[in-house]
Amino acid sequence: MKANFKYNISWLAVMVIGFVAIDACEFLGIINTFIENMLVTIGINIILATGLNLIIGFSGQFSLGHAGFMAIGAYATGIMTQTIATPLGFYLSMVIGIVIAMIAALIVGIPTLRLRGDYLAIATMGAAEIIRILINNLKITNGAAGLFNIPPLVTWATVYVLMCLTTIVTVNFIHSRNGRAIMSVREDEIAAEAMGINPTRWKLAAFVFGAATAAIGGSLHAAYIQTIAPGDFNIMASIAILIIVVLGGVGSITGTFVAAIVLGALDTILQNFGTLRMIIYSLALILIMIFKPSGLLGNWELSFKHLGIHQRKEQSIHE
Amino acid sequence: MSSPLLTAQQIVKNFGGLTAVANVSVHFDQNELIGLIGPNGAGKTTLFNLLTGVTPVTSGAISLYTDQGVQSLNGKRPAEIAQAGLSRTFQNIRLFKELSVLDNVRIAMTNHYQEGFLASIFRVPKFYRTEADMTLAAQKLLAIFDLTSVADQPAKNLPYGIQRRLEIVRALATKPKLLFLDEPAAGMNPEETADLTRLIRQVQRDFHITIVLIEHDMSLVMNVVERLYVLEHGALLAEGTPNEIQHNPAVIKAYLGDEA
């Protein structure tokens, strides 16, 4: 129990140090609005990509519809905070977004998660397109024009805290009985089933969980950017999140962090290169895929446990 | 005669026009060690798949006898059947390759430990307690089968014979009443087969379960089983003790052909 406590405190310390460091930079004027914008984008991308990595990397289901669930969160916040423009209203809208996204994921997941690989990718892509087209044609979402003047209820600090929270919850989910059941389905569905694990149920659990985190990312996006349109959540948006997951390493949450930060920084630096930007960006992706096909970090995870592993083993034998 | 654990009555499986299993009736009793033999393509693995729900039966009844009475397994999903107490290994090893040996065993225990979803994502003390209990139970099981030293290795790194052993340990971790072993000695050298023979005896003795074994290695089969079923062309050819089977003319004919 003591070792667990120490372990948790170490992670908490890392998060607090990160927060204080950004806060100090902000105070000293090192971070201007431009860089803050980059940091917030990175934070939101981490939330989105962590959830997608759970679906792709841990449950082994190839989903191309993440932006659809993000759109649900974004529009829930966009619509609700225009009537209740308070922080409470924002959080309420986020919860509603999460619930709707989870219901949508259930409806999409039950029929499509029977499919595998490419077929599932196409099915989830179609589901995301349906969500986008619905938003495009509804009155409440203001159609193709989208929503403007969404109250700015989110600061970088909100994004930072929520990024930490969703990461903690996702990692805890993965490193538990639930996560192991999900990974067993990825490894061998028939064997998992013979061990009493219902594959559909666990795949659905990962898919719905991922959709919930996507909705959180969407809510933050809407409240920070203040403008959303259906076009923001098209197939390219899904692919952008997928790139972060694949680049960082499918099955590595640490990799997702690294990739989101590297790509976010690269994107910002390349702003100066004008039209060359997308070419250099794409070239960087191709080079990384050629030289490191398993992603930047493969499935390696940063862990404080490596340091104290012998001590823990002895402990368990003495118990 | 001991009480029955699982019975299959007149089960039939048709794949299109092909009858893979025709009117087979078998019964496996408590604490029995039963062998299932037959030439290639006789329908042995298909029978396993029918009994464990991987493929549904075309007709016939499969019943499990539990303390709560007789339970029909017809139309149940493999996961439900596994939860009811039927576990198995596979002809071509199906371990969770990328996961550690310990995790392979802990996954099989998934349904025996319920800490709750919220407890796991918010890491309340109950989560740590359940996790520690589960890990300890898995470690004990690994220790019994001499796998402690490889507990942290990914399953794919193990030698072939050890992988087979791990698959049996994983199946045992589901706390089965009945264990199906599908050609456990396939690809093993004589020494490994001898180890496996000891292992199977040990499992049946220490875990008080029924074991059904598909095997081509006659030294293994004749050594360990108490009763044998012989399948040929999807139909039951003979049933009896190893000694009876060895002298059964129909079985000799199926394996060796007619006397010239």
Side-chain angles (χ1 to χ4, degrees):
Chain A
M1 202 52 61
K2 218 174 174 184
N4 291 327
F5 183 70
K6 256 194 211 162
Y7 178 72
N8 291 342
I9 288 291
S10 324
W11 276 115
L12 190 67
V14 170
M15 290 172 205
V16 172
I17 290 167
F19 188 88
V20 172
I22 298 175
D23 200 32
C25 291
E26 187 102 343
F27 182 73
L28 295 172
I30 299 170
I31 294 179
N32 54 26
T33 347
F34 188 57
I35 294 182
E36 189 190 297
N37 199 359
M38 177 189 90
L39 288 178
V40 167
T41 310
I42 289 173
I44 292 172
N45 279 342
I46 287 174
I47 294 174
L48 294 167
T50 305
L52 188 63
N53 205 347
L54 174 72
I55 300 173
I56 295 182
F58 293 90
S59 82
Q61 307 305 311
F62 196 70
S63 167
L64 262 182
H66 219 52
F69 301 116
M70 184 190 173
I72 292 175
Y75 272 89
T77 293
I79 293 165
M80 262 192 80
T81 54
Q82 285 185 331
T83 25
I84 321 172
T86 60
L88 183 74
F90 168 73
Y91 289 110
L92 203 65
S93 75
M94 194 168 81
V95 171
I96 289 174
I98 290 172
V99 172
I100 300 174
M102 286 171 92
I103 294 169
L106 270 177
I107 297 169
V108 172
I110 289 171
T112 59
L113 286 173
R114 292 162 200 278
L115 304 171
R116 283 161 208 264
D118 319 349
Y119 307 106
L120 178 65
I122 292 167
T124 49
M125 191 179 93
E129 279 299 286
I130 291 171
I131 293 171
R132 191 178 67 82
I133 290 162
L134 274 177
I135 291 171
N136 214 348
N137 289 291
L138 285 176
K139 211 160 205 159
I140 189 170
T141 56
N142 199 24
L147 298 173
F148 306 94
N149 299 326
I150 298 165
L153 295 164
V154 163
T155 61
W156 71 266
T158 325
V159 175
Y160 187 87
V161 171
L162 279 169
M163 177 192 82
C164 291
L165 279 177
T166 48
T167 309
I168 292 170
V169 167
T170 312
V171 171
N172 284 351
F173 183 69
I174 292 166
H175 293 182
S176 72
R177 198 176 59 90
N178 309 303
R180 287 194 294 268
I182 284 169
M183 284 188 272
S184 78
V185 175
R186 172 195 72 192
E187 291 293 305
D188 193 319
E189 211 170 309
I190 292 172
E193 219 170 351
M195 297 300 120
I197 288 162
N198 181 340
T200 317
R201 196 187 128 198
W202 288 107
K203 280 194 269 187
L204 208 55
F207 194 65
V208 170
F209 195 110
T213 61
I216 296 173
S219 284
L220 291 170
H221 174 86
Y224 189 81
I225 308 288
Q226 293 173 257
T227 315
I228 48 174
D232 300 345
F233 309 102
N234 59 11
I235 174 74
M236 282 318 292
S238 290
I239 288 177
I241 309 164
L242 178 70
I243 287 173
I244 296 172
V245 173
V246 175
L247 201 67
V250 172
S252 165
I253 301 293
T254 318
T256 296
F257 269 71
V258 172
I261 293 167
V262 168
L263 289 182
L266 195 66
D267 198 40
T268 309
I269 294 165
L270 292 177
Q271 302 268 331
N272 305 328
F273 290 81
T275 43
L276 268 180
R277 175 171 150 254
M278 276 326 282
I279 294 174
I280 297 175
Y281 185 87
S282 312
L283 216 58
L285 287 180
I286 292 169
L287 287 177
I288 294 173
M289 284 297 105
I290 288 173
F291 291 105
K292 199 82 176 59
S294 59
L296 289 172
L297 297 187
N299 54 12
W300 182 84
E301 291 285 8
L302 175 67
S303 167
F304 295 123
K305 271 187 180 155
H306 294 312
L307 307 169
I309 199 156
H310 295 293
Q311 175 199 332
R312 283 170 53 75
K313 253 189 198 158
E314 261 169 76
Q315 209 182 3
S316 61
I317 288 166
H318 289 303
E319 267 166 9
Chain B
M1 186 172 148
S2 56
S3 53
L5 178 64
L6 184 83
T7 61
Q9 270 144 10
Q10 308 206 316
I11 53 173
V12 176
K13 178 68 196 177
N14 296 322
F15 292 112
L18 178 84
T19 303
V21 171
N23 262 327
V24 170
S25 298
V26 291
H27 66 96
F28 307 132
D29 298 342
Q30 307 275 0
N31 256 323
E32 232 189 342
L33 222 166
I34 304 124
L36 186 60
I37 62 170
N40 284 331
K44 304 182 295 289
T45 298
T46 308
L47 184 60
F48 266 27
N49 287 342
L50 293 175
L51 295 175
T52 52
V54 176
T55 38
V57 291
T58 308
S59 68
I62 303 167
S63 326
L64 180 70
Y65 293 75
T66 62
D67 300 336
Q68 289 88 43
V70 187
Q71 189 187 353
S72 168
L73 297 185
N74 285 53
K76 289 247 166 82
R77 307 269 312 145
E80 293 174 284
I81 292 177
Q83 285 168 25
L86 269 62
S87 195
R88 69 174 294 181
T89 65
F90 295 88
Q91 195 172 344
N92 33 11
I93 308 179
R94 284 179 178 272
L95 287 169
F96 307 126
K97 292 194 191 73
E98 300 290 331
L99 304 179
S100 72
V101 169
L102 181 68
D103 278 348
N104 267 273
V105 176
R106 286 198 292 187
I107 285 164
M109 295 175 163
T110 297
N111 292 314
H112 297 288
Y113 294 87
Q114 306 280 346
E115 78 284 1
F117 171 73
L118 290 178
S120 81
I121 61 171
F122 294 115
R123 295 278 143 120
V124 299
K126 191 185 168 204
F127 166 79
Y128 289 111
R129 270 201 308 277
T130 321
E131 195 79 348
D133 288 350
M134 194 172 180
T135 307
L136 197 66
Q139 281 167 339
K140 274 184 184 160
L141 206 55
L142 289 175
I144 296 174
F145 295 98
D146 251 346
L147 291 167
T148 308
S149 57
V150 291
D152 295 327
Q153 301 246 359
K156 64 174 180 187
N157 287 4
L158 302 180
Y160 185 79
I162 312 279
Q163 289 196 10
R164 285 253 177 233
R165 199 193 309 165
L166 175 59
E167 219 191 8
I168 295 174
V169 176
R170 186 183 66 176
L172 285 173
T174 64
K175 297 188 183 157
K177 298 184 182 79
L178 177 67
L179 175 60
F180 292 107
L181 302 178
D182 197 345
E183 297 200 30
M188 283 189 171
N189 62 33
E191 199 182 316
E192 287 173 323
T193 308
D195 276 345
L196 181 73
T197 311
R198 275 194 294 278
L199 179 76
I200 292 171
R201 284 221 182 91
Q202 183 196 354
V203 168
Q204 198 220 9
R205 192 184 61 225
D206 297 350
F207 290 82
H208 308 293
I209 57 173
T210 306
I211 296 177
V212 184
L213 182 75
I214 292 181
E215 193 45 73
H216 284 297
D217 190 318
M218 288 302 147
S219 71
L220 175 69
V221 174
M222 296 303 169
N223 249 320
V224 299
V225 306
E226 297 155 10
R227 195 157 59 87
L228 269 170
Y229 284 108
V230 187
L231 281 179
E232 198 205 9
H233 301 311
L236 205 57
L237 186 68
E239 179 200 346
T241 63
N243 197 32
E244 286 166 9
I245 295 296
Q246 273 167 327
H247 298 99
N248 185 318
V251 176
I252 295 169
K253 187 182 155 197
Y255 269 90
L256 301 174
D258 273 317
E259 278 180 75

mmCIF file of all heavy atoms in Angstrom, chain B residues 37 39 62 79 84 92-93 135 158 162 176 200 212-213 215 221 254 260:
data_model
loop_
_atom_site.group_PDB
_atom_site.id
_atom_site.type_symbol
_atom_site.label_atom_id
_atom_site.label_comp_id
_atom_site.label_asym_id
_atom_site.label_seq_id
_atom_site.Cartn_x
_atom_site.Cartn_y
_atom_site.Cartn_z
ATOM 1 N N ILE B 37 -9.861 -39.927 -29.106
ATOM 2 C CA ILE B 37 -8.907 -40.175 -30.179
ATOM 3 C C ILE B 37 -9.640 -40.472 -31.475
ATOM 4 O O ILE B 37 -10.863 -40.630 -31.496
ATOM 5 C CB ILE B 37 -7.928 -41.342 -29.846
ATOM 6 C CG1 ILE B 37 -8.694 -42.661 -29.657
ATOM 7 C CG2 ILE B 37 -7.111 -41.031 -28.605
ATOM 8 C CD1 ILE B 37 -7.789 -43.879 -29.577
ATOM 9 N N PRO B 39 -8.628 -40.842 -36.125
ATOM 10 C CA PRO B 39 -7.746 -40.406 -37.207
ATOM 11 C C PRO B 39 -7.970 -38.928 -37.521
ATOM 12 O O PRO B 39 -8.952 -38.341 -37.077
ATOM 13 C CB PRO B 39 -8.176 -41.272 -38.396
ATOM 14 C CG PRO B 39 -9.051 -42.342 -37.837
ATOM 15 C CD PRO B 39 -9.604 -41.837 -36.563
ATOM 16 N N ILE B 62 -26.721 -30.458 -25.068
ATOM 17 C CA ILE B 62 -25.532 -30.481 -24.221
ATOM 18 C C ILE B 62 -25.967 -29.995 -22.845
ATOM 19 O O ILE B 62 -26.549 -28.915 -22.718
ATOM 20 C CB ILE B 62 -24.430 -29.563 -24.778
ATOM 21 C CG1 ILE B 62 -24.077 -29.971 -26.217
ATOM 22 C CG2 ILE B 62 -23.190 -29.612 -23.898
ATOM 23 C CD1 ILE B 62 -23.247 -28.965 -26.957
ATOM 24 N N ALA B 79 -18.153 -17.464 -24.022
ATOM 25 C CA ALA B 79 -17.796 -16.798 -22.764
ATOM 26 C C ALA B 79 -18.707 -17.259 -21.628
ATOM 27 O O ALA B 79 -18.253 -17.478 -20.506
ATOM 28 C CB ALA B 79 -17.883 -15.279 -22.932
ATOM 29 N N ALA B 84 -19.481 -20.876 -16.936
ATOM 30 C CA ALA B 84 -20.199 -21.980 -16.293
ATOM 31 C C ALA B 84 -19.229 -23.062 -15.809
ATOM 32 O O ALA B 84 -19.624 -23.949 -15.062
ATOM 33 C CB ALA B 84 -21.213 -22.571 -17.260
ATOM 34 N N ASN B 92 -3.500 -25.204 -31.791
ATOM 35 C CA ASN B 92 -2.359 -24.358 -32.126
ATOM 36 C C ASN B 92 -2.347 -23.214 -31.133
ATOM 37 O O ASN B 92 -3.038 -22.239 -31.319
ATOM 38 C CB ASN B 92 -2.452 -23.828 -33.554
ATOM 39 C CG ASN B 92 -3.882 -23.592 -33.970
ATOM 40 O OD1 ASN B 92 -4.788 -23.637 -33.137
ATOM 41 N ND2 ASN B 92 -4.119 -23.310 -35.223
ATOM 42 N N ILE B 93 -1.541 -23.365 -30.109
ATOM 43 C CA ILE B 93 -1.471 -22.474 -28.940
ATOM 44 C C ILE B 93 -2.026 -21.062 -29.211
ATOM 45 O O ILE B 93 -1.627 -20.395 -30.145
ATOM 46 C CB ILE B 93 -0.005 -22.331 -28.493
ATOM 47 C CG1 ILE B 93 0.604 -23.715 -28.314
ATOM 48 C CG2 ILE B 93 0.091 -21.515 -27.220
ATOM 49 C CD1 ILE B 93 2.046 -23.694 -27.907
ATOM 50 N N THR B 135 -3.310 -10.948 -7.974
ATOM 51 C CA THR B 135 -1.917 -11.178 -8.337
ATOM 52 C C THR B 135 -1.339 -12.323 -7.510
ATOM 53 O O THR B 135 -0.642 -13.188 -8.030
ATOM 54 C CB THR B 135 -1.095 -9.901 -8.130
ATOM 55 O OG1 THR B 135 -1.765 -8.848 -8.831
ATOM 56 C CG2 THR B 135 0.314 -10.047 -8.656
ATOM 57 N N LEU B 158 8.492 -17.476 -24.584
ATOM 58 C CA LEU B 158 8.695 -18.765 -23.931
ATOM 59 C C LEU B 158 8.949 -19.865 -24.958
ATOM 60 O O LEU B 158 8.448 -19.815 -26.072
ATOM 61 C CB LEU B 158 7.456 -19.150 -23.126
ATOM 62 C CG LEU B 158 7.009 -18.187 -22.035
ATOM 63 C CD1 LEU B 158 5.775 -18.735 -21.353
ATOM 64 C CD2 LEU B 158 8.117 -17.975 -21.031
ATOM 65 N N ILE B 162 6.888 -24.799 -22.769
ATOM 66 C CA ILE B 162 6.447 -23.948 -21.652
ATOM 67 C C ILE B 162 5.178 -23.200 -22.041
ATOM 68 O O ILE B 162 4.289 -22.980 -21.213
ATOM 69 C CB ILE B 162 7.552 -22.938 -21.262
ATOM 70 C CG1 ILE B 162 8.893 -23.612 -21.119
ATOM 71 C CG2 ILE B 162 7.173 -22.185 -19.988
ATOM 72 C CD1 ILE B 162 9.140 -24.315 -19.828
ATOM 73 N N PRO B 176 -12.038 -24.029 -13.642
ATOM 74 C CA PRO B 176 -12.996 -24.850 -14.386
ATOM 75 C C PRO B 176 -13.420 -26.086 -13.602
ATOM 76 O O PRO B 176 -12.727 -26.518 -12.676
ATOM 77 C CB PRO B 176 -12.207 -25.253 -15.623
ATOM 78 C CG PRO B 176 -10.796 -25.299 -15.160
ATOM 79 C CD PRO B 176 -10.655 -24.255 -14.087
ATOM 80 N N ILE B 200 -0.400 -33.478 -16.345
ATOM 81 C CA ILE B 200 -1.836 -33.740 -16.455
ATOM 82 C C ILE B 200 -2.331 -34.528 -15.249
ATOM 83 O O ILE B 200 -3.374 -34.207 -14.664
ATOM 84 C CB ILE B 200 -2.148 -34.479 -17.771
ATOM 85 C CG1 ILE B 200 -1.898 -33.545 -18.962
ATOM 86 C CG2 ILE B 200 -3.592 -34.976 -17.794
ATOM 87 C CD1 ILE B 200 -1.963 -34.219 -20.299
ATOM 88 N N VAL B 212 -10.680 -33.739 -20.306
ATOM 89 C CA VAL B 212 -10.906 -34.446 -21.567
ATOM 90 C C VAL B 212 -9.766 -34.076 -22.501
ATOM 91 O O VAL B 212 -9.433 -32.903 -22.651
ATOM 92 C CB VAL B 212 -12.253 -34.060 -22.214
ATOM 93 C CG1 VAL B 212 -12.494 -34.882 -23.467
ATOM 94 C CG2 VAL B 212 -13.389 -34.236 -21.237
ATOM 95 N N LEU B 213 -9.189 -35.097 -23.092
ATOM 96 C CA LEU B 213 -7.938 -34.925 -23.798
ATOM 97 C C LEU B 213 -8.057 -35.434 -25.226
ATOM 98 O O LEU B 213 -8.437 -36.577 -25.447
ATOM 99 C CB LEU B 213 -6.935 -35.779 -23.012
ATOM 100 C CG LEU B 213 -5.496 -35.897 -23.334
ATOM 101 C CD1 LEU B 213 -4.806 -34.621 -22.890
ATOM 102 C CD2 LEU B 213 -4.917 -37.063 -22.539
ATOM 103 N N GLU B 215 -5.703 -36.448 -28.257
ATOM 104 C CA GLU B 215 -4.275 -36.666 -28.407
ATOM 105 C C GLU B 215 -4.002 -37.738 -29.439
ATOM 106 O O GLU B 215 -4.742 -38.700 -29.585
ATOM 107 C CB GLU B 215 -3.689 -37.047 -27.050
ATOM 108 C CG GLU B 215 -2.185 -36.997 -26.975
ATOM 109 C CD GLU B 215 -1.583 -35.752 -27.598
ATOM 110 O OE1 GLU B 215 -1.721 -34.679 -26.982
ATOM 111 O OE2 GLU B 215 -0.993 -35.836 -28.688
ATOM 112 N N VAL B 221 -1.774 -40.999 -24.126
ATOM 113 C CA VAL B 221 -3.180 -41.338 -23.939
ATOM 114 C C VAL B 221 -3.331 -42.602 -23.097
ATOM 115 O O VAL B 221 -4.016 -42.616 -22.075
ATOM 116 C CB VAL B 221 -3.881 -41.522 -25.298
ATOM 117 C CG1 VAL B 221 -5.314 -42.012 -25.098
ATOM 118 C CG2 VAL B 221 -3.870 -40.223 -26.077
ATOM 119 N N ALA B 254 -9.819 -48.933 -38.113
ATOM 120 C CA ALA B 254 -9.844 -47.513 -38.448
ATOM 121 C C ALA B 254 -8.433 -46.941 -38.529
ATOM 122 O O ALA B 254 -8.140 -46.082 -39.358
ATOM 123 C CB ALA B 254 -10.660 -46.753 -37.403
ATOM 124 N N ALA B 260 -4.967 -57.658 -44.617
ATOM 125 C CA ALA B 260 -4.887 -57.966 -46.038
ATOM 126 C C ALA B 260 -5.447 -59.335 -46.377
ATOM 127 O O ALA B 260 -5.611 -60.163 -45.568
ATOM 128 C CB ALA B 260 -3.439 -57.909 -46.518
#
